[in-house]
Structure formats: structure tokens, C-alpha cells
């Protein structure tokens, strides 16, 4: 009969404890890899590389479960912005200003801010078109440049100053149509807003235009003042004529009264 050895029992217990710890760690790691979180304003899609399937988007804020071998792709869908101004060094701008030409072939730089949302129902198809999530740079930014240049070619340099609001509205409508019709974007980009921040012309040309506009305003003001003087003069003459007629009429009445009295 084998003798009881406490050291042997302790070793067995330690092995069992070690196995339990390892198993618990593996289970904990698996559970950790299976839980995912989606933040506010973001949508999460579970991508399964084995089956090649993509789940419907889960909108945050929320937690979810997935298989350990799958990955979660999160996308901001609530509101995105695209800033295009300056020389590209501004940390708040995504791209530099858009180089354009006017109808009279004057070079200008257009500054824009574009805002949009993504339709969660079309997010999967958008992700299939852009698995790198780079639709902003690959599609939206290029569409903006193309169509802004098309719009500015319809106006002279002077009109870009005089009709700034009209041009801004036209650019917004043009970009809405272009983005909605872009096949690669799958109609996923919605609620598009465009702010025309600035249209920068060469300094010397801007100065000349401003001086011309100021001269036109002075001319209009002078014409208005001249018309005003003429109107006042006519009014004064009319008043004098009415006064003279009234005086003459009064004298006639007075003369008739005197004859009747005699």
C-alpha cells in the first residue's frame, strides 16, 4: 500500500487550480472579444470573414455580442462635416480651398463647409462600395470640386461678389443632386447642407471691383439726389403757382365785392 504523501496532493491541487485559472482566462478573453460597444451617433456592423456576411447596423449608444472571429466596423452616421478652405494646414479644414475659374477666366479660391448624415438603412451597401470607409475623400470631395468648378464658370468675377447668396444656393442644390445621383454612394448620404464661406479673388482685382462698385453706388446716389432736387424744385414752383393763383383769385373776389358795395 502506497504511503500518503501530502506533497503529491498539493501538487495535484495546484495543477487543478492552474487549469481552472487558464480555462477561466480563456473564457474571459473570449467573452471580452465577443462584447462590443457602439457610441452615440455611431452605427456598428458585424463582419464575418468566414461567411462573408455583414450584419444590419446597430445604432448606438449600445452594447452587442459577436462571434470571436468576427470584427465590428463602426461608422459615424448622425452628422459628418467636410471643410475645404485655406491652404490645407488649418487643423479644422479637411482639404484646401477649391481652385476655380470664373466665366471671364479669372482664377479664384472657393471655401466651403459641407454637412451631411448617413442613412443607416443604406450603410451596408455604402460599406460594400467603400470597405476602407473613405467615401469622403474618394467620392464626396471629388464631386464637390467638380461641381463647384462647373458653377463658378457660369458667372463673371464681378457676379461672384454681387450674387454671392445666389451662387451659394446654386452650389448647394448642385451638390445635393450630384451626391444623390452618384452610383457609388448608393443614396446613403442625406440631409446635405452647404455653406459658401468665401470666394477669394486676387487682391488687386478685388480692390478694383470694390472701387467700381463704390463708384456705381456714388453715381446712383448722385442721380437720386439730382432727381430729389428736381422734385423739390417742381414742388416749390407748384406751390408758388398755387399761391399766385390764390392771390389773384382773392383780388378778383375783393374787386367784385367793392363794385357790389358801390
Amino acid at each position: 500500500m502506497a504511503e500518503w504523501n501530502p506533497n503529491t496532493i498539493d501538487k495535484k491541487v495546484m495543477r487543478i487550480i492552474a487549469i481552472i485559472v487558464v480555462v477561466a482566462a480563456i473564457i474571459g478573453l473570449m467573452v471580452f472579444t465577443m462584447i462590443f460597444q457602439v457610441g452615440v451617433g455611431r452605427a456598428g456592423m458585424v463582419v464575418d470573414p468566414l461567411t462573408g456576411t455583414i450584419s444590419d447596423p446597430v445604432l448606438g449608444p449600445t452594447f452587442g455580442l459577436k462571434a470571436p472571429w468576427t470584427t465590428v466596423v463602426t461608422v459615424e452616421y448622425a452628422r459628418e462635416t467636410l471643410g475645404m478652405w485655406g491652404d490645407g494646414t488649418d487643423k479644422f479644414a479637411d482639404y484646401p480651398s477649391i481652385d476655380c475659374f470664373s466665366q471671364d477666366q479669372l482664377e479664384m479660391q472657393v471655401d466651403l463647409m459641407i454637412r451631411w448624415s448617413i442613412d443607416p438603412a443604406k450603410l451596408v451597401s455604402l460599406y460594400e462600395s467603400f470597405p476602407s470607409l473613405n467615401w469622403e475623400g474618394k467620392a464626396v470631395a471629388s464631386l464637390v470640386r467638380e461641381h463647384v468648378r462647373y458653377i463658378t464658370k457660369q458667372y463673371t468675377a464681378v457676379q461672384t461678389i454681387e450674387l454671392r447668396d445666389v451662387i451659394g444656393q446654386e452650389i448647394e442644390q448642385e451638390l445635393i443632386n450630384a451626391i444623390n445621383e452618384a452610383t457609388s454612394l448608393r443614396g446613403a448620404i442625406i440631409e446635405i447642407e452647404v455653406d459658401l464661406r468665401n470666394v477669394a479673388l486676387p487682391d488687386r482685382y478685388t480692390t478694383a471691383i470694390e472701387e467700381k462698385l463704390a463708384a456705381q453706388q456714388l453715381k446712383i446716389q448722385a442721380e437720386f439726389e439730382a432727381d430729389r432736387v428736381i422734385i423739390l424744385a417742381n414742388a416749390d414752383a407748384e406751390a408758388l403757382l398755387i399761391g399766385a393763383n390764390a392771390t389773384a383769385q382773392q383780388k378778383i373776389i375783393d374787386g367784385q365785392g367793392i363794385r357790389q358795395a358801390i
Side-chain angles (χ1 to χ4, degrees), residues 229-242:
V229 170
I230 292 172
I231 291 171
L232 291 176
N234 289 337
D236 290 342
E238 187 70 22
L240 290 173
L241 179 60
I242 292 172

Side-chain angles (χ1 to χ4, degrees), residues 87-161:
D87 57 3
T89 59
D90 188 338
K91 63 180 181 179
F92 297 107
D94 300 288
Y95 298 94
S97 300
I98 305 170
D99 294 326
C100 305
F101 284 92
S102 63
Q103 188 183 70
D104 43 3
Q105 293 302 304
L106 188 72
E107 186 176 5
M108 63 183 70
Q109 286 76 43
V110 176
D111 297 346
L112 291 176
M113 168 65 82
I114 304 100
R115 293 181 293 274
W116 69 84
S117 300
I118 296 177
D119 184 355
K122 299 179 181 178
L123 188 54
V124 172
S125 59
L126 181 63
Y127 174 68
E128 289 174 341
S129 292
F130 299 93
S132 299
L133 308 180
N134 58 349
W135 53 78
E136 179 183 290
K138 292 292 186 180
V140 178
S142 60
L143 284 172
V144 170
R145 294 189 189 96
E146 176 187 354
H147 289 272
V148 167
R149 287 166 180 158
Y150 169 77
I151 293 295
T152 58
K153 286 198 303 182
Q154 314 303 314
Y155 295 91
T156 65
V158 174
Q159 288 173 330
T160 62
I161 296 177

Side-chain angles (χ1 to χ4, degrees), residues 34-52:
M34 291 171 65
I35 297 175
F36 65 90
Q37 179 183 7
V38 181
V40 177
R42 301 185 70 85
M45 297 173 291
V46 178
V47 181
D48 190 334
L50 298 181
T51 61

Side-chain angles (χ1 to χ4, degrees), residues 161-247:
I161 296 177
E162 297 176 333
L163 305 175
R164 182 70 53 85
D165 292 340
V166 174
I167 294 174
Q169 293 172 2
E170 189 169 345
I171 288 175
E172 180 177 75
Q173 191 57 54
E174 180 74 14
L175 292 180
I176 289 173
N177 294 338
I179 292 172
N180 287 338
E181 294 170 2
T183 304
S184 61
L185 294 175
R186 310 291 183 92
I189 295 181
I190 59 175
E191 299 176 0
I192 302 165
E193 298 177 356
V194 180
D195 292 338
L196 177 59
R197 291 166 54 97
N198 188 37
V199 178
L201 300 168
D203 291 340
R204 58 185 182 83
Y205 194 85
T206 302
T207 301
I209 291 176
E210 290 174 348
E211 291 175 351
K212 179 181 178 180
L213 293 175
Q216 290 176 345
Q217 291 297 323
L218 290 174
K219 180 181 178 182
I220 293 172
Q221 183 65 26
E223 291 174 350
F224 172 78
E225 290 295 335
D227 291 340
R228 179 172 173 272
V229 170
I230 292 172
I231 291 171
L232 291 176
N234 289 337
D236 290 342
E238 187 70 22
L240 290 173
L241 179 60
I242 292 172
N245 289 336
T247 301

